[in-house]
Amino acid sequence: MKSCFAGITDPGLLRTVNQDDYYIDPDGRFFIVADGMGGHAGGQEASKIATEAIKTYLNKDWNSQTPSDELLEQAIYQANQAILNDQQTHPERSDMGTTAVVVMFRQDQCWFSHVGDSRLYRFRNSKLEKITEDHTWVARAVKLGELTAKQARMHPWRHVLSQCLGRKDLPKVDVYPIEVKLCDRLLLCSDGLTEELSDELIASSLQESSSIDQALVILVEAAKEQGGRDNITVVIVEIGERMKGVG
């Protein structure tokens, strides 16, 4: 089975600027989604800086002896530092930052890391599993039992991040392996998708689609039908034989 992967980004219905960015490695080695913040110019720049820094670092050290988890961890830190450096050069963008979610296939293993509330899902056997845990105030409140999941979806602080790239106090970045099987679909997305669509609607959209290209269109259009209040970015990776041994 041949592996497939594709991505799409859409400004949504209310935003005049798309502050999301994404990157798909042509060889299917790694995938990135970033969602910028900090004003129109700042957010747009932050997501692009992060995506470019991660891509550059992974390409540069891909064939090194560095363990895969360390390689991905350092790529995230490089992105954080690149944004900090740009903030110093451009003080008008001093408050910019971005989320990031990255999936990497290297040495017969799949790894992921994320900062912020951009998410990674795994769709297998018609079931959708959220792999990442949002770095937000409300996600922590739900975990502590202070809010229900239903309350969190409507809470006025639901967009307040507890972590993002572009901060000197960025905590330790976690990198985890993830098991993948043939025909699994991995979905990376910005919160422009998950703000509008429940996990159940995302799962049904993936179930209804016969190809990942169709799935991308269905998901984005569904998010816009629900309001499309933010930029929407989705990357889908369908696991095939080619993924085994990538890197």
Side-chain angles (χ1 to χ4, degrees):
M1 176 183 176
K2 181 181 178 182
S3 294
C4 302
F5 38 84
I8 190 172
T9 188
D10 190 287
L13 298 178
L14 301 183
R15 301 293 178 91
T16 57
V17 174
N18 193 340
Q19 299 183 76
D20 287 1
D21 196 31
Y22 76 95
Y23 178 76
I24 294 176
D25 175 64
D27 295 323
R29 299 175 302 168
F30 55 89
F31 306 84
I32 310 166
V33 167
D35 177 1
M37 66 209 73
H40 285 182
Q44 194 173 29
E45 286 300 315
S47 60
K48 289 180 179 178
I49 291 168
T51 300
E52 183 64 27
I54 294 168
K55 175 185 74 172
T56 299
Y57 189 83
L58 291 180
N59 277 325
K60 179 175 68 71
D61 281 12
W62 190 263
N63 294 320
S64 70
Q65 297 302 310
T66 304
S68 294
D69 55 342
E70 292 182 19
L71 180 69
L72 183 50
E73 179 184 25
Q74 288 304 313
I76 300 292
Y77 286 133
Q78 288 290 320
N80 189 60
Q81 189 59 52
I83 296 172
L84 292 175
N85 292 344
D86 189 86
Q87 289 172 348
Q88 291 183 337
T89 306
H90 302 280
E92 70 276 12
R93 298 202 289 257
S94 61
D95 63 341
M96 72 175 177
T98 186
T99 70
V101 57
V102 186
V103 168
M104 180 180 78
F105 294 85
R106 185 172 184 255
Q107 298 171 345
D108 294 324
Q109 178 67 62
C110 181
W111 301 86
F112 76 92
S113 183
H114 85 295
V115 177
D117 60 357
S118 292
R119 293 181 181 177
L120 169 65
Y121 290 88
R122 179 175 58 199
F123 186 66
R124 174 187 292 172
N125 297 329
S126 303
K127 295 183 179 179
L128 186 72
E129 178 183 3
K130 185 163 73 75
I131 303 300
T132 52
E133 182 176 301
D134 294 348
H135 296 142
T136 61
W137 183 90
V138 295
R140 178 173 173 79
V142 170
K143 190 173 184 179
L144 293 174
E146 298 170 355
L147 290 175
T148 66
K150 184 177 181 180
Q151 289 172 328
R153 284 193 64 83
M154 302 302 294
H155 200 282
W157 292 1
R158 64 188 180 277
H159 299 301
V160 177
L161 298 179
S162 57
Q163 294 183 32
C164 71
L165 298 180
R167 300 295 181 264
K168 293 180 180 178
D169 60 348
L170 179 69
K172 186 180 186 310
V173 173
D174 293 321
V175 178
Y176 299 102
I178 176 175
E179 179 211 14
V180 291
K181 296 181 179 179
L182 289 177
C183 301
D184 283 355
R185 285 180 175 178
L186 298 180
L187 183 149
L188 299 78
C189 63
S190 63
D191 70 342
L193 182 77
T194 54
E195 178 71 10
E196 306 294 0
L197 301 182
S198 66
D199 287 2
E200 291 75 18
L201 283 174
I202 293 173
S204 64
S205 296
L206 291 171
Q207 183 67 31
E208 293 168 5
S209 59
S210 58
S211 69
I212 61 172
D213 289 323
Q214 184 185 36
L216 293 171
V217 173
I218 290 174
L219 286 167
V220 169
E221 290 305 312
K224 291 165 74 173
E225 287 173 6
Q226 294 298 315
R229 291 165 289 182
D230 200 354
N231 309 144
I232 308 158
T233 300
V234 186
V235 170
I236 299 177
V237 184
E238 187 171 273
I239 307 300
E241 290 288 355
R242 182 175 172 273
M243 283 298 176
K244 298 182 177 181
V246 169

